[in-house]
Amino acid sequence: AQSVAQPEDQVNVAEGNPLTVKCTYSVSGNPYLFWYVQYPNRGLQFLLKYITGDNLVKGSYGFEAEFNKSQTSFHLKKPSALVSDSALYFCAVRDRGRGRGSTLGRLYFGRGTQLTVWP
Amino acid sequence: GAVVSQHPSWVICKSGTSVKIECRSLDFQATTMFWYRQFPKQSLMLMATSNEGSKATYEQGVEKDKFLINHASLTLSTLTVTSAHPEDSSFYICSASRLENPEEGETQYFGPGTRLLVL
């Protein structure tokens, strides 16, 4: 079964400092991994994904994530945090299934990490 | 690209009425759409997976007669909350899967969400 863990409910960081939001996963087989961000009363915005290839994935708004197979982790990072980065961040994993009329390909979400960047 | 809209963005209704929420992929065709429910400060709970031209697949514990899903075209899925009650009040989010390329499978893009309040 697929699952995702975000061990921190809350991450606080000062503006200008680097930030890390942690995510570990458990899947059968090779994973597809995703990060999404949610601002208050909004849907989720896609940030980045890891499918294959380079372990360091670059995404939107200066975010990047590092896939570590041995540690089964996919931590989200940014070198210099902005106040506007304050939001709820979700890590997700999906299996590689595909096909009409099936639920294969569904996402399994972590519980979310609230990032607060203070000025 | 990959824009998903939802309508309405918020709705207030009386107990016992039905409410329809539309989810549209504006610039791509989505063979699969997903409906989620989110409670305050919690992760997304998958309600059902909707494939164009076939019946939706509901997650365990989700009443299919209560939450009617219709996926009439490759760009439109609707969720109807029938005979709504106060406990149905929630934030409902849809997503649409876009096939990036055959090797990567689909990426889900999310709508902005619909806030439902049942009085």
Side-chain angles (χ1 to χ4, degrees), chain A residues 36 38 41 49 94 106 110, chain B residues 38 43 59 107-108 115:
Chain A
Y36 290 87
Q38 184 180 32
N41 297 308
K49 64 182 177 184
R94 58 156 284 189
R106 62 167 289 181
Chain B
Q38 186 181 31
S43 189
E59 293 298 299
T107 295
Q108 283 188 38
R115 176 76 59 190

Side-chain angles (χ1 to χ4, degrees), chain A residues 32 34 36 38 41-44 46 49 51 90 94 97-98 100-103 105-107 109-111, chain B residues 34 36 38 42-44 46 49 51-52 57 59 91 93 100 102-108 110-112 115:
Chain A
Y32 289 152
F34 301 81
Y36 290 87
Q38 184 180 32
N41 297 308
R42 301 299 303 273
L44 276 64
F46 170 74
K49 64 182 177 184
I51 303 299
F90 289 99
R94 58 156 284 189
R98 237 176 267 142
R100 293 168 62 85
S102 82
T103 57
R106 62 167 289 181
L107 288 174
F109 285 93
R111 62 182 182 179
Chain B
F34 300 82
Y36 297 85
Q38 186 181 31
Q42 293 189 26
S43 189
L44 280 70
L46 180 65
T49 301
N51 289 284
E52 184 265 339
T57 303
E59 293 298 299
F91 193 51
I93 306 175
E100 311 287 56
E103 295 302 314
E104 295 187 359
E106 295 90 2
T107 295
Q108 283 188 38
F110 287 78
R115 176 76 59 190

Side-chain angles (χ1 to χ4, degrees), chain B residues 34-86:
Chain B
F34 300 82
W35 286 96
Y36 297 85
R37 186 172 177 176
Q38 186 181 31
F39 294 100
K41 299 187 183 302
Q42 293 189 26
S43 189
L44 280 70
M45 182 191 80
L46 180 65
M47 300 173 66
T49 301
S50 170
N51 289 284
E52 184 265 339
S54 62
K55 291 183 179 180
T57 303
Y58 290 81
E59 293 298 299
Q60 191 172 10
V62 178
E63 300 175 57
K64 61 182 180 181
D65 295 330
K66 172 76 171 175
F67 299 99
L68 298 178
I69 292 173
N70 182 271
H71 196 152
S73 74
L74 290 174
T75 59
L76 173 64
S77 177
T78 59
L79 168 69
T80 301
V81 183
T82 62
S83 186
H85 290 282

Side-chain angles (χ1 to χ4, degrees), chain A residues 42-65:
Chain A
R42 301 299 303 273
L44 276 64
Q45 294 181 30
F46 170 74
L47 278 180
L48 51 80
K49 64 182 177 184
Y50 171 81
I51 303 299
T52 187
D54 290 342
N55 290 341
L56 185 64
V57 179
K58 293 188 183 296
S60 305
Y61 312 119
F63 283 93
E64 58 189 27

